[in-house]
């Protein structure tokens, strides 16, 4: 938990700070970022940061006395014509308003920002000398994902174990595709769903790619292509894949955002921020069974 002395700030103050850190203009065109509910003039003393705008997070916000919840994922990503309390999303909005809890979203604008989701994940994994995986045309310091290198090369197995030990534990755990004894040094990361960026990962020359929500066919084709091209060059079948839970890969940003918001607001007055303690990963259990052994590509 982080705190600053002084007067309470307003929602407008906090939103201005968030927009400075994560400019809405840098969000993807399909995205829905910004304030979902809340009066710009309302005082904000406590801010809760979470990955998802779901009921358990609002429960925690009310219990803690938060005035604002900042989430990474949008509540209303697709256009809606009603927020009546007859739907689960409408009911969440109504309850937030009744409880005096504002809701703000920083999604793909936080993904691409310096100090955003991608940098937080890269920091946690110890990547140095990094750059955006897909830089923005107007600002090459911003962009989706990051590519960097480990301070010392390691094996794919050791790297994957470090990823698992560093990120929040989830039912999925960490899935890996590749030779566990292969050497890795150059790492690409994308918090959240990342299998649409495989061509960018290959072009970046990454040994291993850490992301989430990897689907069967794109992952299979990437690994088959890597194995085919490796036979022709007598080199390693890269990139290898490390697949984490979506929630887990974006969670590291929350503490960074909380710290940065409090630091920026310090000259204005008192605000307290903390990271939600509720896991919003939707999976609740996994059934174990004997796996079919396969020689890694």
């Amino acid at each position: 938990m982080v705190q600053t002395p002084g007067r309470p700030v307003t929602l407008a103050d906090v939103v201005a700070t968030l927009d400075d850190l994560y400019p809405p203009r840098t969000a993807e065109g399909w995205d829905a970022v910004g304030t979902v509910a809340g009066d710009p003039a309302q005082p904000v003393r406590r801010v809760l940061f979470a990955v998802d705008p779901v009921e358990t997070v609002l429960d925690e916000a009310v219990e803690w006395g938060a005035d604002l919840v900042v989430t990474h994922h949008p509540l209303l990503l697709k256009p809606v014509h009603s927020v009546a309390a007859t739907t689960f999303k409408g009911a969440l909005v109504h309850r937030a308003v009744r409880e005096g809890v504002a809701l703000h979203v920083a999604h793909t604008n936080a993904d691409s920002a310096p100090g955003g989701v991608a940098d937080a994940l890269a920091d946690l994994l110890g990547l140095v000398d990094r750059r955006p995986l897909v830089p923005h045309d107007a600002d090459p310091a911003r962009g989706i994902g990051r590519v960097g290198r480990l301070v010392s090369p390691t094996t794919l197995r050791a790297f994957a174990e470090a990823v698992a030990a560093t990120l929040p534990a989830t039912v999925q755990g960490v899935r890996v595709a590749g030779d566990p004894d292969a050497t890795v040094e150059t790492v690409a990361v994308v918090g959240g769903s990342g299998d649409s960026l495989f061509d960018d990962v290959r072009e970046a020359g990454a040994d291993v790619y850490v992301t989430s929500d990897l689907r069967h066919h794109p992952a299979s084709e990437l690994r088959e292509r890597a194995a085919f091209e490796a036979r022709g060059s007598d080199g390693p079948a890269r990139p290898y894949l490390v697949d984490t839970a979506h929630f887990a890969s974006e969670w590291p940003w929350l503490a960074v955002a909380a710290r940065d918001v409090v630091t920026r607001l310090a000259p204005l007055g008192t605000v307290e921020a903390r990271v939600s303690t509720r896991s919003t990963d939707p999976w609740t259990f996994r059934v174990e069974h004997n796996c079919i052994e396969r020689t890694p590509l």
Side-chain angles (χ1 to χ4, degrees):
M1 188 179 294
V2 282
Q3 191 171 359
T4 59
R7 67 163 180 84
V9 299
T10 65
L11 177 59
D13 293 327
V14 183
V15 169
T17 298
L18 287 163
D19 286 352
D20 187 50
L21 288 166
Y22 318 113
R25 69 179 183 278
T26 63
E28 297 296 316
W30 49 263
D31 205 359
V33 302
T35 304
V36 177
D39 181 345
Q42 74 182 74
V44 173
R45 296 175 178 84
R46 288 183 167 180
V47 184
L48 183 68
F49 286 80
V51 174
D52 296 291
V54 293
E55 186 175 20
T56 187
V57 169
L58 185 54
D59 289 343
E60 182 181 16
V62 172
E63 291 166 9
W64 182 49
D67 306 294
L68 169 64
V69 174
V70 177
T71 65
H72 183 52
H73 292 145
L75 176 66
L76 305 173
L77 179 59
K78 296 180 180 179
V80 298
H81 302 286
S82 169
V83 288
T86 52
T87 67
F88 74 95
K89 290 188 177 183
L92 194 73
V93 172
H94 277 261
R95 184 184 173 204
V97 172
R98 284 198 309 271
E99 300 284 1
V101 180
L103 174 62
H104 186 90
V105 173
H107 192 207
T108 53
N109 50 328
D111 285 333
S112 63
V117 174
D119 273 329
L121 180 56
D123 279 339
L124 211 59
L125 299 182
L127 302 189
V128 298
D129 300 332
R130 59 182 184 253
R131 65 189 187 279
L133 176 64
V134 184
H136 276 301
D137 292 336
D139 185 355
R142 298 179 184 271
I144 299 300
R146 294 294 183 268
V147 181
R149 63 176 181 84
L150 300 171
V151 174
S152 300
T154 188
T155 65
L156 178 60
R157 183 191 300 278
F159 176 73
E161 289 173 346
V163 172
T166 301
L167 295 181
T170 60
V171 170
Q172 171 186 316
V174 173
R175 303 188 297 178
V176 186
D179 179 356
D181 297 321
T183 299
V184 297
E185 182 176 14
T186 302
V187 180
V189 300
V190 166
S193 303
D195 63 16
S196 64
L197 300 173
F198 281 166
D199 287 343
D200 299 289
V201 172
R202 288 170 48 80
E203 185 177 345
D207 299 319
V208 59
Y209 180 34
V210 182
T211 189
S212 305
D213 297 340
L214 293 183
R215 296 169 294 165
H216 174 88
H217 293 297
S220 175
E221 290 182 4
L222 177 78
R223 294 299 304 138
E224 290 292 326
R225 179 178 179 181
F228 175 79
E229 293 178 352
R231 287 195 294 271
S233 65
D234 198 29
R238 299 177 299 192
Y240 310 114
L241 298 174
V242 174
D243 183 32
T244 71
H246 193 124
F247 159 82
S249 68
E250 294 174 331
W251 177 86
W253 168 71
L254 303 178
V256 175
R259 179 201 67 201
D260 289 349
V261 165
V262 168
T263 300
R264 295 285 189 99
L265 289 170
L268 297 181
T270 299
V271 66
E272 192 176 352
R274 79 177 191 187
V275 173
S276 171
T277 60
R278 311 287 175 91
S279 172
T280 56
D281 183 62
W283 306 108
T284 55
F285 73 96
R286 180 179 61 195
V287 178
E288 298 283 358
H289 60 86
N290 293 330
C291 294
I292 299 172
E293 292 188 6
R294 177 183 174 185
T295 301
L297 295 175

